[in-house]
Amino acid sequence: MSDNSTATVLGTIGTVLWCIQLLPQIYQNYRRKSTDGLPTSMMLLWAAAGVFFGMYFIAQSSNTALQVQPQIFTALCLFTWCQCLYYAHRFPVWKAAVAYLAAAAVCAGLQVAAAVPIRDSDLYKSNPSPYCWPILMIGVFAALCLIGGLIPPYFELAKQHGRVVGLSLIFLCIDSSGAIFSFASLWFPQTKADGEEEDRDYLGMVLYLIVPAMEFGIVLSHFTWWFRYGRHGLYNDDQESVEEKEKELELSSQSSLSRIESRTTARSSTDAADSV
């Protein structure tokens, strides 16, 4: 199998995984009728990252799978963002729908307006590689948005003592798998028409490694929380935090001790009265 075919197969697998990555999250939001614990800013920043990814790969005429992937990623991020508007910010359905369509139109317009002129420019034709400075800057912006989107969940983890609330762990696993396959597709450079290999896209590979690295930290935090608190039942899925549950258990223990002391005192008084 040629490198082009291998890259296309791996990129296609990554695309398929990214086609379904947010579906578990979307379903969980719908089932819970809530997006508590899912930062609105995360989805918005990820949608912006998808736009820059789209520019990045379209401008370089990368394999089709990698060009389609950011479009699906952006569409799913915007839909999840609109769920946040509907459940957390109490937007009516029609307002959330208008917000989705407007944001999608802006994202598509930005990609076309930026990627096509760069691809056809003399600057890129003279240096058709990921290291041409406009392509490089787009890649940097994509990385910043991607990293920025994964920072708000860590603030949520801090509030919940490391517990993941609102984020679907299945979504995180699928998302990381898609990023790993996309990373692998970039490991095999495309072959030009003249038979010469294109430069390996190291920046794109770094971008795709950022996702599983930061999402692994989120999953690790949750399992650390479970080891410290969850396995002991120190949580309540509806409203109470770990601190509230611990306080409740402490008050319950103090109440039990008080009742025991009261009974002991009453029994001692009774015995003293009987002896008299």
Side-chain angles (χ1 to χ4, degrees):
M1 184 181 290
S2 66
D3 284 351
N4 283 4
S5 299
T6 303
T8 300
V9 169
L10 292 172
T12 301
I13 294 173
T15 298
V16 170
L17 290 173
W18 274 25
C19 285
I20 62 174
Q21 59 163 337
L22 273 166
L23 294 181
Q25 183 66 58
I26 291 170
Y27 174 73
Q28 177 174 297
N29 295 341
Y30 171 76
R31 183 174 56 84
R32 294 173 64 231
K33 299 294 186 290
S34 170
T35 55
D36 291 345
L38 175 64
T40 305
S41 57
M42 174 186 178
M43 290 297 108
L44 196 57
L45 284 168
W46 269 23
V51 173
F52 286 116
F53 271 124
M55 295 177 187
Y56 187 81
F57 291 119
I58 292 172
Q60 297 181 82
S61 299
S62 300
N63 65 72
T64 304
L66 288 180
Q67 292 187 52
V68 172
Q69 186 183 76
Q71 316 311 320
I72 298 170
F73 178 72
T74 302
L76 292 176
C77 287
L78 288 177
F79 187 87
T80 312
W81 169 64
C82 288
Q83 281 190 312
C84 294
L85 296 181
Y86 177 71
Y87 290 120
H89 300 280
R90 305 300 179 187
F91 272 45
V93 174
W94 71 269
K95 278 190 177 181
V98 168
Y100 179 85
L101 294 174
V106 170
C107 291
L110 287 174
Q111 290 185 69
V112 173
V116 175
I118 292 175
R119 183 182 61 191
D120 298 335
S121 68
D122 293 335
L123 178 63
Y124 179 69
K125 288 179 180 179
S126 64
N127 181 23
S129 75
Y131 305 105
C132 179
W133 74 261
I135 303 295
L136 186 63
M137 291 303 297
I138 290 173
V140 170
F141 287 136
L144 291 176
C145 288
L146 205 60
I147 295 171
L150 285 169
I151 291 175
Y154 280 89
F155 286 103
E156 293 293 329
L157 292 176
K159 294 177 185 177
Q160 299 293 335
H161 297 268
R163 182 190 180 196
V164 173
V165 176
L167 277 175
S168 168
L169 295 179
I170 298 175
F171 146 62
L172 294 177
C173 291
I174 295 175
D175 188 52
S176 293
S177 299
I180 290 171
F181 274 102
S182 297
F183 163 82
S185 74
L186 293 178
W187 185 261
F188 298 93
Q190 297 279 323
T191 303
K192 300 178 183 178
D194 57 5
E196 183 182 352
E197 285 190 352
E198 295 182 355
D199 294 334
R200 185 170 278 119
D201 186 359
Y202 291 107
L203 177 59
M205 293 164 69
V206 170
L207 296 182
Y208 280 120
L209 283 179
I210 291 172
V211 174
M214 295 194 72
E215 289 180 343
F216 176 75
I218 295 173
V219 175
L220 181 63
S221 173
H222 183 76
F223 280 103
T224 302
W225 166 85
W226 180 86
F227 184 79
R228 294 178 60 194
Y229 301 109
R231 68 192 181 113
H232 301 300
L234 299 177
Y235 67 96
N236 184 304
D237 285 331
D238 295 327
Q239 296 178 354
E240 296 174 345
S241 66
V242 171
E243 279 186 347
E244 291 170 339
K245 189 67 177 179
E246 289 177 328
K247 186 176 181 180
E248 179 185 335
L249 291 174
E250 183 179 350
L251 291 174
S252 177
S253 299
Q254 291 177 353
S255 177
S256 298
L257 288 174
S258 298
R259 286 197 297 270
I260 292 172
E261 290 176 356
S262 298
R263 290 174 184 173
T264 303
T265 302
R267 190 171 299 169
S268 299
S269 300
T270 302
D271 291 343
D274 291 343
S275 61
V276 173

